[in-house]
Amino acid sequence: MPDSARMGKSLSAPASFQIFPLGDAAIVVKFGDSIDLELHQRVRALEKHLEEHSLEGMMERVPAYATVTIYYDPAQRSFHDIEQELRKILVVLADAPEPDPRIVEVPVSYGGEFGPDLEFVARHNSLTTDEVIQIHSATDYLVYMIGFAPGFPYLGGMSQRIAAPRRDSPRLKIPVGSVGIAGTQTGVYPIETPGGWQLIGRTPIELFRPQENPPTRLRAGDIVRFRPITVEEFASLRVNSQ
Amino acid sequence: MSIRVIRPGLLTTIQDLGRYGLQQFGVIVSGAMDPLALRISNLLVGNAPSEAALEITLSGPALLFERDALIAITGGDLSAVFDGQSVPLWRPILVRQGCVLEFRSPRRGCRAYLSVAGGFDVPLVMNSHSTYLRAQLGGFNGRPLQAGDVVNFRSASESATQQLRKLSERLSERPFVATDWFAGLDLAEYADDPTIRVMSGGQYDWFNKESREALVSEPFRITKQSDRMGYRLTGPTLQIIQPRELISEAVTMGTVQVPPEGQPIILMADRPTTGGYAKIAQVATVDLPVLAQLKPGAQIRFLSISVEEAQELYRSREAMIRRLECGIAQMNL
């Protein structure tokens, strides 16, 4: 039976964060256990700091809802060493100003062949399809994190009024750019993948652009606004973005 | 300078040490399942250790060499033969133009790495040569090799050219000639029923006492639902004390996560960047190559070690690789 010290236990900290290892080559700073704006702001503040002040031996970082994971080279830094440095940063960081979000507009052609499940979402919520479009496009969505697929945004802020369950049987191929709803979440598919989300529309803009740096249009911390467009606008935007 | 694919084998892809720096954008790392074998196969042919090589899985391809080439094969023993003659592993080999490299049946391990002097000439995509299968990017046209593909090499380094000259003197009419020295196999510590060293995962404390004990006292078996993304294990059911929701956070290669049904999954090279299952353990980096060579059906046991011990193992492994690199460079001159 391993005791927790031998297994590398979580270290509690006086302020409201925890630091613990993700194995021998990554370290996690955790601010809490929920999806909310305040934790997100703390994640952003640490991200901003690390973007401006790289740590020795740091290879990359992954911000998530309430954590920042830092991958490092154990040949250069020990866990203890990098943990101490992070603690010093986090104490000062409490007073750091909130970074300003970028606003990214995502044009969407709702319904029709691009949004085969729009009518289902409307019926499910006793709304018209126009009302679903109006509600979906009237909100500012916060990109809490990117994961699952390159450039796939975990968006916060969707109205409960257009929530809808996942499809009973997932589609084998969801076309690139599809905008979907699953439960109270909404998202955009940057690459073709299988999936069970209700598809309500499609964007002509590329969210994943592997030839560019950074390779995704959206980043954690961005604000997304969906703008309804016609099928004709979809076609012309598609041409212009290529 | 090129190879032509006659038969592609089960899953033959171009991989390097992975696509780092873009996980924050959801871009997965990919790269060699057995990074140690890839690094050594590259060193043996005078390449940078991070150069792209072929990762060959279980049932290997048939490859025609369209020019003389200096190659090395490391990793699992998949019974490589050149024109019917058995090919030794873990050493530089000069291959004659027109010869066909084939693989018979896996003798030991699961994944072999084939490096060519100079490296495979495929474009860098997001700073890596690795094949990102799901996004159909990187490697050779973003996909596994297929029959009829022609994959080019770049020019060999100075040290590789010297080794190639030395070996040519001995080639005469044979399909290939290998050095009589070899290097690196002992470093990998491959085993058929290995003990894998793990540290505790971020949610280790969520699991009940029985599950935490079972993790390090009972054997687990690798199931057929195992691939480059992850290994599904079967063994004692691992249960958390009370149902709890984990919000998504980063994972890494070797993360041992447990879905609600209680059978663990070890995440491997093509893992997603983030996940929402409870993480009971994390495999020590030095034991990832051992895992990479295991086939479905293999039995493993876990042994718990501290992060400090894992990092010490990591540093001593890296020091051994550096010594090996110097040794190989001298032998090739």
Side-chain angles (χ1 to χ4, degrees):
Chain A
M1 166 71 198
D3 63 75
S4 63
R6 190 173 158 73
M7 294 283 286
K9 67 173 176 180
S10 304
L11 302 157
S12 58
S16 56
F17 62 84
Q18 281 183 298
I19 301 183
F20 54 87
L22 173 65
D24 51 28
I27 184 167
V28 184
V29 178
K30 181 169 186 161
F31 295 109
D33 284 303
S34 55
I35 301 175
D36 65 56
L37 201 55
E38 194 205 319
L39 293 180
H40 175 76
Q41 297 291 7
R42 298 187 69 192
V43 167
R44 297 311 312 154
L46 178 57
E47 265 293 296
K48 186 165 189 280
H49 180 92
L50 293 174
E51 219 168 276
E52 288 161 5
H53 312 88
S54 187
L55 307 182
E56 192 193 331
M58 177 168 76
M59 293 165 68
E60 64 178 308
R61 307 178 304 277
V62 175
Y65 283 116
T67 53
V68 175
T69 300
I70 296 157
Y71 298 79
Y72 64 97
D73 176 9
Q76 289 183 60
R77 303 294 296 272
S78 72
F79 171 72
H80 179 73
D81 180 28
I82 204 155
E83 186 219 337
Q84 292 305 313
E85 186 175 357
L86 281 167
R87 279 182 191 283
K88 283 183 198 144
I89 291 168
L90 285 159
V91 169
V92 184
L93 205 62
D95 297 316
E98 292 172 8
D100 282 334
R102 255 181 1 151
I103 295 167
V104 182
E105 192 186 81
V106 176
V108 180
S109 177
Y110 287 96
E113 64 162 311
F114 295 153
D117 304 323
L118 178 64
E119 286 188 18
F120 171 83
V121 173
R123 268 202 317 278
H124 183 79
N125 291 288
S126 307
L127 297 168
T128 65
T129 52
D130 282 349
E131 285 168 331
V132 173
I133 296 169
Q134 199 278 326
I135 294 166
H136 189 260
S137 59
T139 310
D140 279 357
Y141 297 93
L142 172 63
V143 180
Y144 274 103
M145 58 182 278
I146 303 281
F148 170 68
F152 183 88
Y154 285 78
L155 297 174
M158 196 184 80
S159 168
Q160 301 275 354
R161 293 166 60 206
I162 55 172
R166 282 164 203 266
R167 288 170 58 85
D168 290 337
S169 76
R171 287 188 173 87
L172 292 177
K173 279 185 179 178
I174 289 186
V176 175
S178 292
V179 177
I181 288 177
T184 56
Q185 280 184 287
T186 184
V188 192
Y189 284 84
I191 62 172
E192 189 181 276
T193 128
W197 291 37
Q198 305 287 353
L199 305 184
I200 60 167
R202 199 181 299 171
T203 179
I205 65 168
E206 287 180 300
L207 294 176
F208 177 46
R209 312 163 295 179
Q211 66 288 354
E212 287 178 42
N213 187 22
T216 65
R217 197 172 300 251
L218 298 176
R219 274 176 262 177
D222 287 348
I223 296 290
V224 169
R225 280 182 194 156
F226 294 112
R227 178 171 66 88
I229 56 168
T230 62
V231 177
E232 291 73 30
E233 283 174 283
F234 182 98
S236 86
L237 283 167
R238 180 70 156 247
V239 169
N240 291 338
S241 73
Q242 278 171 355
Chain B
M1 293 190 293
S2 56
I3 51 168
R4 180 178 295 272
V5 180
I6 297 170
R7 277 198 317 274
L10 181 66
L11 177 67
T12 305
T13 58
I14 291 194
Q15 301 291 347
D16 59 15
L17 288 178
R19 185 167 278 116
Y20 282 95
L22 300 173
Q23 288 191 82
Q24 62 176 300
F25 303 112
V27 175
I28 69 170
V29 174
S30 320
M33 289 280 277
D34 180 346
L36 180 69
L38 177 123
R39 287 164 79 181
I40 294 172
S41 73
N42 277 321
L43 294 174
L44 289 167
V45 295
N47 292 346
S50 57
E51 189 56 68
L54 287 187
E55 181 178 277
I56 295 164
T57 316
L58 280 171
S59 166
L63 305 169
L64 169 70
F65 284 78
E66 298 193 318
R67 284 291 163 83
D68 288 3
L70 186 73
I71 70 162
I73 305 171
T74 61
D77 183 352
L78 307 182
S79 310
V81 292
F82 261 120
D83 287 5
Q85 288 183 43
S86 177
V87 181
L89 307 180
W90 304 92
R91 66 192 83 203
I93 297 167
L94 174 61
V95 184
R96 179 191 293 284
Q97 174 184 349
C99 283
V100 175
L101 173 67
E102 288 179 277
F103 293 83
R104 297 237 157 111
S105 55
R107 192 175 293 156
R108 190 155 193 213
C110 184
R111 293 179 171 86
Y113 293 83
L114 188 160
S115 290
V116 296
F120 291 101
D121 190 14
V122 293
L124 270 178
V125 177
M126 295 181 286
N127 216 20
S128 165
H129 293 117
S130 285
T131 312
Y132 184 172
L133 291 169
R134 172 53 72 78
Q136 299 171 17
L137 287 170
F140 188 86
N141 297 334
R143 59 165 171 79
L145 295 188
Q146 295 171 0
D149 287 345
V150 174
V151 192
N152 294 317
F153 319 150
R154 287 190 295 269
S155 314
S157 67
E158 184 56 32
S159 72
T161 309
Q162 296 212 29
Q163 180 60 261
L164 201 143
R165 259 190 229 116
K166 278 201 287 188
L167 287 171
S168 330
E169 291 163 12
R170 292 168 45 203
L171 188 60
S172 101
E173 298 301 310
R174 289 181 287 185
F176 73 91
V177 57
T179 59
D180 42 25
W181 56 270
F182 66 96
L185 174 57
D186 51 330
L187 269 190
E189 297 175 335
Y190 296 141
D192 295 328
D193 298 310
T195 296
I196 301 294
R197 290 165 286 195
V198 294
M199 295 150 273
S200 71
Q203 292 74 45
Y204 177 75
D205 294 340
W206 288 20
F207 289 84
N208 64 30
K209 186 164 171 287
E210 295 73 30
S211 299
R212 283 180 283 169
E213 280 176 4
L215 179 73
V216 290
S217 60
E218 305 276 328
F220 290 83
R221 203 168 280 285
I222 293 172
T223 69
K224 284 188 181 129
Q225 287 80 49
S226 297
D227 56 17
R228 282 183 45 88
M229 188 189 285
Y231 289 1
R232 282 177 182 272
L233 307 183
T234 170
T237 302
L238 306 177
Q239 286 177 316
I240 54 181
I241 296 164
Q242 55 189 46
R244 287 171 80 168
E245 197 77 8
L246 178 71
I247 57 174
S248 286
E249 57 183 46
V251 294
T252 190
M253 190 157 167
T255 296
V256 185
Q257 61 177 24
V258 185
E261 36 85 1
Q263 297 292 297
I265 298 170
I266 309 181
L267 296 176
M268 299 299 284
D270 282 350
R271 67 203 175 269
T273 55
T274 57
Y277 291 135
K279 297 177 279 294
I280 194 171
Q282 174 68 42
V283 176
T285 301
V286 291
D287 283 347
L288 292 171
V290 180
L291 266 184
Q293 293 299 342
L294 297 178
K295 293 189 278 267
Q299 181 178 291
I300 58 175
R301 286 177 181 277
F302 292 114
L303 172 73
S304 87
I305 62 171
S306 67
V307 172
E308 290 72 24
E309 286 170 290
Q311 294 195 325
E312 194 46 50
L313 289 165
Y314 181 98
R315 284 188 280 271
S316 83
R317 167 72 58 81
E318 289 302 308
M320 285 189 276
I321 295 171
R322 275 198 301 279
R323 281 200 294 279
L324 188 74
E325 185 169 0
C326 295
I328 291 171
Q330 282 178 352
M331 294 302 285
N332 274 342
L333 287 179

